[in-house]
Amino acid sequence: MLKMAPSALLDHYLGISRLLAGQLEFRSAIRAVAVEISHIIPHDHLDVCIIMHGGKYHTAYETGLETAWGNHPPALVSGSPIRTLLWGEVSYLMSDDARNDPRFNFEGSFVRPIFEQDLRSRIHVPLKVEGDVIGALSCSSHAIGLYTMDDVANARSIADLLSPYFFALRAAEQAQRSAIVEAEARAREEGLRLGALNLTEALERERQRIGMDLHDQTLADLTRLSRRLERLTHEHEVSGETLEPLARGLQHCMQDLRQIIEEAKPSVLQLFGFVQAVENHLDRSVRDSGLSIEPDLVDETDGVIDSLDQTVCVALFRITQEAINNAVRHAQAARITVRLRELADGISIEVSDDGVGILKPRRRNGGGIDNMKTRARLISAKFSISAGRDNRGTVISVHLPVAAQTPRPQNQRNDA
């Protein structure tokens, strides 16, 4: 703890207030006041974490040392070493040696920077506005046992200065995000209008494809079976060996029809939800192909896709379905992975394989890829297709921006 006269302390508090003026984003604000704060509370690392609207995620802005906390995208509050403070369960945290403090080192906590940067002594106090915790101010030092309760009191005073300003920055950021969401909604409406013709054409092509499949494959197979049966009616005795090819042919026809019906109507999606529908289609496609492909589904969405508008949900399923079909039919892969993720700014679906990859660029993509792009555009999602890691295999991904959810009450704990 630094000892100083009250007048000197007041000068530093006023200096913090002056330096905040004109700062328009979190990172520049915390860096602007870091020196003044160091005159009050010595530190090797200083950061402010801000809880995002909805209360599930938080973002860290740091100065002094660059760590993985500040370089990571928004992270779950439930994995923060100071989650008890952010949840409002404690009024402060102070540690003589955070490396050995069980309050920080729980299962699933993201404590790597503490050990990588040797952050021993730590102080954490909440940023509050009208009684609600909007984030936390954290000071850390390499020294052991550096801080006292006087430092906690000074940190609270600093937090009181920072909280209103950071609250206003968060509100401005949220307003900007809302404006983006509104613009995307307008773009979606415009896309629906402009893309209606493209979608109609795509659906017409799909109808023609199904008709050709029925005519060229299923109907032709049934015609051959019918002629065989007609010939058998003229025979006095029919052996089981003679009937076996007919039975096998009927099974193939039934399988083809079932595939066409499943592709025409995603019944599993409607009955059991998105994840189950994708898993069912992935397993069935691999099984029916007869190939040695290992299917893998990784779901990190906690069912959030099923809460989307039904039209959007069906579009995402169709894109995923077509991506799986392409991988099974063309990739010559040993493994196909479907990864579903809920991110802070939306939902990500990725279908990857370890097959032959994208052999050569084409002037025009095939109908399946065109349909995926059209479906993605109509729901304002971003679609991409690229080579996999080390240029091996193919990765098809779609990212759907989702508006921030309604904030939960601050005293409601989220154990996600």
Side-chain angles (χ1 to χ4, degrees):
M1 174 186 171
L2 296 175
K3 298 290 186 180
M4 66 178 66
S7 59
L9 193 60
L10 178 60
D11 286 340
H12 290 305
Y13 287 144
L14 292 174
I16 292 173
S17 298
R18 286 193 298 269
L19 290 168
L20 283 175
Q23 304 300 329
L24 301 180
E25 54 98 15
F26 293 107
R27 187 166 282 102
S28 63
I30 190 64
R31 289 176 177 173
V33 300
V35 173
E36 286 292 343
I37 293 177
S38 68
H39 291 312
I40 304 172
I41 303 174
H43 59 265
D44 296 304
H45 177 265
L46 175 71
D47 76 71
V48 167
C49 75
I50 301 296
I51 300 174
M52 302 178 69
H53 282 276
K56 191 174 182 180
Y57 294 90
H58 72 296
T59 303
Y61 305 95
E62 59 188 358
T63 184
L65 297 172
E66 298 293 332
T67 76
W69 285 325
N71 294 330
H72 269 55
L76 289 169
V77 172
S78 58
S80 170
I82 59 170
R83 63 181 184 180
T84 55
L85 185 80
L86 298 175
W87 282 333
E89 296 177 355
V90 297
S91 59
Y92 73 94
L93 287 170
M94 182 175 68
S95 178
D96 288 339
D97 189 352
R99 293 167 60 97
N100 302 317
D101 196 323
R103 294 175 298 176
F104 301 142
N105 296 279
F106 54 85
E107 184 178 357
S109 62
F110 185 47
V111 294
R112 196 179 77 207
I114 290 178
F115 293 88
E116 288 180 345
Q117 303 294 339
D118 195 30
L119 303 179
R120 302 280 189 157
S121 294
R122 305 200 76 202
I123 290 178
H124 309 274
V125 294
L127 301 173
K128 287 186 175 183
V129 174
E130 296 183 349
D132 292 332
V133 178
I134 67 163
L137 170 67
S138 303
C139 297
S140 303
S141 171
H142 297 317
I144 296 177
L146 178 65
Y147 300 126
T148 68
M149 287 303 300
D150 288 334
D151 293 306
V152 172
N154 289 335
R156 283 173 169 162
S157 298
I158 296 170
D160 289 341
L161 290 173
L162 299 180
S163 295
Y165 202 88
F166 283 172
F167 180 80
L169 288 179
R170 189 181 74 165
E173 185 178 88
Q174 178 61 22
Q176 184 180 26
R177 289 182 180 176
S178 298
I180 293 173
V181 170
E182 183 179 350
E184 288 174 345
R186 289 197 299 269
R188 184 182 291 116
E189 292 176 2
E190 183 69 8
L192 287 170
R193 185 180 69 81
L194 296 177
L197 178 60
N198 290 336
L199 182 59
T200 300
E201 292 175 350
L203 291 175
E204 177 62 20
R205 288 195 301 269
E206 184 68 8
R207 185 190 68 79
Q208 292 176 359
R209 183 190 68 79
I210 292 174
M212 286 187 292
D213 285 347
L214 288 172
H215 179 272
D216 298 341
Q217 183 174 326
T218 307
L219 184 58
D221 290 342
L222 288 173
T223 300
R224 286 192 294 271
L225 291 173
S226 175
R227 289 173 180 171
R228 287 187 185 180
L229 286 172
E230 185 178 357
R231 287 196 298 269
L232 290 177
T233 58
H234 300 295
E235 298 185 10
H236 297 292
E237 294 183 3
V238 180
S239 66
E241 184 178 349
T242 303
L243 293 175
E244 193 275 333
L246 292 175
R248 188 170 63 252
L250 283 173
Q251 289 176 352
H252 286 316
C253 288
M254 291 166 55
Q255 180 176 321
D256 291 339
L257 284 172
R258 187 180 298 112
Q259 179 72 18
I260 292 172
I261 292 170
E262 287 295 330
E263 290 181 354
K265 182 177 182 295
S267 57
V268 178
L269 172 64
Q270 296 168 346
L271 294 174
F272 302 107
F274 189 88
V275 176
Q276 184 65 41
V278 170
E279 183 176 26
N280 180 73
H281 183 74
L282 177 62
D283 291 342
R284 187 180 67 250
S285 298
V286 170
R287 183 178 64 250
D288 292 347
S289 72
L291 302 173
S292 298
I293 300 175
E294 182 179 352
D296 185 24
L297 174 65
V298 181
D299 175 31
E300 301 172 359
T301 64
D302 196 25
V304 70
I305 299 180
D306 293 320
S307 66
L308 300 174
D309 180 84
Q310 183 66 17
T311 303
V312 176
C313 191
V314 170
L316 290 175
F317 176 75
R318 291 300 196 191
I319 294 170
T320 307
Q321 185 182 48
E322 184 65 32
I324 292 172
N325 291 343
N326 284 351
V328 171
R329 294 169 184 167
H330 309 301
Q332 303 176 32
R335 185 183 186 89
I336 297 175
T337 301
V338 180
R339 183 179 296 275
L340 315 174
R341 289 185 294 171
E342 179 191 7
L343 306 176
D345 61 344
I347 294 167
S348 170
I349 300 175
E350 187 177 274
V351 180
S352 60
D353 63 71
D354 60 355
V356 295
I358 305 173
L359 298 179
K360 58 181 179 180
R362 300 177 180 175
R363 180 171 298 179
R364 175 177 172 82
N365 289 320
I369 293 177
D370 283 344
N371 287 346
M372 286 189 283
K373 288 182 176 179
T374 298
R375 294 185 190 278
R377 185 170 65 252
L378 291 179
I379 60 174
S380 296
K382 297 177 181 178
F383 176 88
S384 67
I385 178 169
S386 60
R389 183 178 298 177
D390 299 327
N391 289 322
R392 183 180 181 185
T394 304
V395 179
I396 291 178
S397 63
V398 57
H399 180 269
L400 176 71
V402 176
Q405 300 178 5
T406 303
R408 61 177 173 83
Q410 195 63 48
N411 59 357
Q412 178 181 347
R413 173 168 170 168
N414 182 353
D415 286 324

